[in-house]
DNA sequence: AGTATACTCCGGTTCTCCACTGGGGTTTGC
DNA sequence: GCAAACCCCAGTGGAGAACCGGAGTATACT
């Protein structure tokens, strides 16, 4: 019922990378981690997962780092969360021994999951970036 | 992102109690547990929680047991899950040190949570009971 | 009254997973 | 060649889920 810190870290990292997609300049783990207060050795693992999922690319060696594999508006939050959280392949095994009540509950569980996925599916990285910009614009308005 | 076995157990127990609401006859923990393959000592704790939340009533002593506190169509799945899962009072403390990106993500997290709660809110115990009956009816149709 | 049957309360135990850390590597730019 | 980066894999600590046990208490039935 709760999205883990893992997914939040991954999203934060991708949000950091989003503005740099156009320039093609990579960002290093250390920079992202210090910017968003994420333990860097942990973020490293998450970025590795994102790379294997094809969401980011990495450049090795000195002056290396990470960059988005495709446009920020072509990556949905569902893409990120699903590959980090590692769901799908949720074939619950006890299908045979389940009572009819348990089956009905499983259906509702699926509906809940689907509702959550729909929200994530409809939101892209670019949406979040613009939302953040709007927030800050709002703050400035009130600051003046 | 996933509903725990805890919530499923609680729901199963309440589904067992639902048909007996009209008669006012209590069901014992053992009966419910064996019917739904739930460890009985564990179910005991869950029913205690449900009782404190005002969803079930208990009768102590011989011939005692549990019964629903109100009509099955006046209890939503949200009522059950929220009191079992123990959410609400989710005041995340790190509001001050959060980056603007983290704030935007928190908003989306809230939307996801809300979408899930809406599904649970719109579904009552009675809905599930009827859904189960419909399922079995369906099976019989094909059996004949 | 006595006993069996239930719930009630409180504590402990085991197990899994998340978040995080560490120690090696390998690749690349200068 | 050396430092800066990524890469891989193997842990550790704590929290919570799932579960078990025992002593206590209320009630029905005889």
């Amino acid at each position: 019922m709760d999205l883990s810190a893992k997914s939040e870290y991954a999203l934060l990292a991708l949000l950091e990378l989003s503005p740099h997609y156009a320039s093609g300049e990579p960002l290093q783990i250390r920079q992202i981690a210090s910017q968003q207060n994420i333990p860097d050795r942990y973020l490293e693992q998450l970025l590795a997962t994102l790379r294997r999922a094809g969401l980011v690319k990495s450049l090795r060696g000195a002056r290396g780092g990470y960059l988005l594999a495709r446009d920020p508006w072509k990556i949905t939050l569902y893409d990120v969360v699903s590959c980090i959280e590692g769901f799908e392949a949720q074939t619950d095994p006890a299908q045979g021994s389940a009572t009819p009540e348990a089956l009905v509950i499983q259906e509702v569980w699926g509906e809940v999951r689907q509702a959550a996925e729909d929200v994530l599916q409809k939101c892209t990285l670019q949406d979040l970036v613009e939302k953040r910009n709007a927030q800050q614009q709002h703050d400035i308005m009130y600051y003046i």
Side-chain angles (χ1 to χ4, degrees), chain A:
Chain A
M1 199 54 203
D2 51 332
L3 283 285
S4 60
K6 221 170 162 183
S7 298
E8 183 173 346
Y9 288 162
L11 269 181
L12 284 171
L14 294 181
L15 284 182
E16 285 290 316
L17 293 180
S18 292
H20 296 74
Y21 175 73
S23 69
E25 285 295 311
L27 273 185
Q28 287 115 37
I29 291 180
R30 292 286 180 80
Q31 298 179 21
I32 303 173
S34 70
Q35 199 80 16
Q36 295 291 339
N37 307 315
I38 304 173
D40 51 357
R41 305 298 263 111
Y42 189 41
L43 179 57
E44 182 184 316
Q45 295 177 14
L46 302 181
L47 284 171
T49 303
L50 293 174
R51 181 179 54 83
R52 281 186 283 268
L55 294 178
V56 298
K57 286 178 180 173
S58 65
L59 297 180
R60 306 184 63 163
R63 304 286 176 202
Y66 286 89
L67 34 82
L68 243 49
R70 38 191 163 104
D71 283 278
W73 44 272
K74 289 228 173 181
I75 298 180
T76 70
L77 300 201
Y78 178 76
D79 293 334
V80 181
V81 173
S82 64
C83 96
I84 285 294
E85 219 79 4
F87 54 61
E88 38 231 347
Q90 276 283 12
T91 55
D92 39 2
Q95 202 80 331
S97 64
T99 65
E101 288 79 13
L103 288 179
V104 173
I105 291 178
Q106 291 304 327
E107 281 183 38
V108 181
W109 258 223
E111 290 174 27
V112 172
R113 183 188 205 75
Q114 188 63 48
E117 291 182 2
D118 286 348
V119 175
L120 295 176
Q121 196 75 264
K122 291 199 182 80
C123 193
T124 71
L125 285 183
Q126 187 62 30
D127 291 334
L128 284 197
V129 170
E130 289 170 8
K131 204 167 175 179
R132 185 210 51 181
N133 291 341
Q135 284 267 359
Q136 288 183 329
Q137 199 65 22
H138 178 270
D139 291 350
I140 291 173
M141 296 269 294
Y142 273 83
Y143 180 76
I144 296 173

